[in-house]
Amino acid sequence: MSKEREPLVTHIFTADPSAHVFNGKVYVYPSHDVPHDGEDNDNGDEYQMEDYHILSMDKIGGEVTDHGVALSMHDVPWVRDQMWAPDAVFTNDKYYLVFPARDKEGMFRLGVAVSDKPEGPFTPEENYIEGSFSIDPCSFKDDDGKVYVYFGGLWGGQLEKYRTGKFEENGTEPEKDEPAVCPKCALMSADMKSFAKKPVDIQIVDEDGKPLLAGDEERRYFEGPWVHKYNGKYYFSYSTGTTHYICYGISDNPYGPFTYKGRILEPVIGWTTHHSIVEIEGEWYLFYHDCELSGGINHRRCVKYTKLSYNPDGTIKTIRPYEK
Ligand code: FUB
């Protein structure tokens, strides 16, 4: 049986959980960390994932099933390595896995794979989504059926190298007093094979409507976007990377701007923090990871979940992951 704030599974290392309810069951789409003895660096070379395993529970707190390899990098023609944080969406009566990986030239791209079952196995498209770049896709389906993919990550995720609109090998983050690099959002085509529109910037603004600055590392976007809806509002949540928080903003529009509202999760054990938010039988849950299972090794992470709650004004109560 699974328990709140304990590793969901211990037989493999897992990270970056995207959780969904499909057919009344809880499905978790995590990264699958590969243990090795290599060093960490700012490029994320330690995250050497090769495949995806989908996890499920009949109900929250239930026994966890590992459905085995749902997609391997060896089966995706365009992928060289580093299959990082995936997400999944149900549309067209099919399940689509949306995932990032490095292409044969070492550029991060986003790919799509399809299955009739939420646990896969997934059949990948021959090529990555044309015009895609960077990492951490969140595939959000709105109430009108439109699917948006939010994505982007700094440093290893290469997002700051696209500031001019095209890839610049030596691209850097803006100066500290300039607006921060924005995450991106693209509307997906109905067949889920391409971007219906070019990706646009997602602005995260302060209470005065000003974009957060690059030097505002406690609040600015780094990686790991997630979008959910609560009481008709769009919530955009993300990791601040260098300061290790999960923060969020709220908007009336899926394209934002999102007004910064606060922290959802205080730092966990390990450098990265990455999450998803899902409603299960009328209660809200945060799925996240830390490195507790490996004693703090950054690339040997474990997925956990805990309850999440809202204040009457719609703001989210901050979670302190090790406070009982
Ligand atoms: O798992 C590899 C990377 O670490 C993800 O893409 C980031 O969000 C961070 O969790």
Side-chain angles (χ1 to χ4, degrees):
M1 297 312 235
S2 63
K3 285 204 180 122
E4 272 194 58
R5 303 194 185 193
E6 291 192 5
L8 206 53
V9 291
T10 55
H11 66 292
I12 53 172
F13 291 107
T14 54
D16 309 325
S18 295
H20 294 276
V21 175
F22 292 134
N23 307 323
K25 292 187 187 180
V26 182
Y27 286 88
V28 184
Y29 298 81
S31 301
H32 174 200
D33 280 345
V34 175
H36 59 79
D37 296 323
E39 302 260 296
D40 291 2
N41 62 30
D42 286 350
N43 202 35
D45 292 337
E46 65 272 32
Y47 300 110
Q48 285 297 339
M49 296 82 109
E50 298 183 357
D51 59 26
Y52 297 114
H53 284 228
I54 316 306
L55 309 174
S56 73
M57 292 176 270
D58 282 351
K59 58 182 173 52
I60 193 80
E63 204 172 312
V64 181
T65 302
D66 172 357
H67 295 273
V69 176
L71 183 68
S72 160
M73 68 177 194
H74 303 293
D75 298 325
V76 190
W78 62 268
V79 168
R80 187 185 79 184
D81 56 11
Q82 293 194 299
M83 286 177 118
W84 284 9
D87 193 12
V89 62
F90 178 69
T91 190
N92 306 329
D93 279 330
K94 292 191 188 307
Y95 298 88
Y96 292 88
L97 189 72
V98 186
F99 61 96
R102 283 191 197 265
D103 69 12
K104 304 289 184 197
E105 274 76 51
M107 309 278 283
F108 269 109
R109 305 286 186 181
L110 307 182
V112 175
V114 65
S115 178
D116 290 327
K117 294 183 286 180
E119 70 272 25
F122 288 88
T123 305
E125 288 297 311
E126 278 286 305
N127 211 340
Y128 53 77
I129 300 172
E130 199 184 330
S132 69
F133 55 94
S134 201
I135 59 166
D136 288 357
C138 159
S139 43
F140 167 74
K141 186 175 177 180
D142 208 346
D143 303 331
D144 60 4
K146 286 183 180 155
V147 176
Y148 300 85
V149 170
Y150 297 81
F151 63 95
L154 298 177
W155 296 11
Q158 304 174 331
L159 183 62
E160 70 276 17
K161 296 187 186 299
Y162 290 89
R163 281 173 62 201
T164 61
K166 59 181 176 57
F167 182 78
E168 307 280 356
E169 181 70 53
N170 299 317
T172 56
E173 286 175 76
E175 295 298 324
K176 291 196 180 311
D177 58 354
E178 291 178 340
V181 177
C182 292
K184 307 288 176 190
C185 174
L187 176 69
M188 292 302 289
S189 60
D191 65 4
M192 282 295 293
K193 291 185 181 177
S194 57
F195 289 158
K197 291 190 180 159
K198 262 184 90 167
V200 295
D201 282 352
I202 290 295
Q203 295 278 355
I204 306 166
V205 299
D206 65 16
E207 52 288 355
D208 299 321
K210 295 204 183 91
L212 298 185
L213 300 181
D216 187 356
E217 293 186 34
E218 301 220 328
R219 301 193 298 175
R220 65 93 178 83
Y221 178 87
F222 190 92
E223 62 185 2
W226 186 258
V227 171
H228 75 280
K229 242 173 151 176
Y230 177 73
N231 282 348
K233 303 264 186 209
Y234 298 85
Y235 287 62
F236 180 87
S237 41
Y238 57 95
S239 162
T240 61
T242 50
T243 49
H244 318 290
Y245 300 118
I246 298 290
C247 293
Y248 73 108
I250 300 180
S251 180
D252 290 323
N253 190 301
Y255 287 120
F258 290 87
T259 305
Y260 180 87
K261 289 293 176 187
R263 285 183 201 158
I264 295 176
L265 182 66
E266 293 288 333
V268 294
I269 298 167
W271 200 94
T272 63
T273 183
H274 191 120
H275 76 299
S276 60
I277 295 170
V278 62
E279 186 177 17
I280 304 170
E281 292 184 355
E283 304 256 36
W284 287 87
Y285 290 86
L286 177 81
F287 282 73
Y288 63 104
H289 71 227
D290 71 9
C291 299
E292 192 174 21
L293 184 61
S294 65
I297 300 174
N298 280 330
H299 71 275
R300 300 183 195 183
R301 299 167 288 182
C302 58
V303 166
K304 300 180 172 183
Y305 67 84
T306 190
K307 270 199 182 138
L308 171 146
S309 47
Y310 299 86
N311 295 304
D313 65 357
T315 54
I316 295 175
K317 292 188 179 158
T318 306
I319 294 165
R320 290 170 184 78
Y322 306 104
E323 234 171 56
K324 294 288 172 194

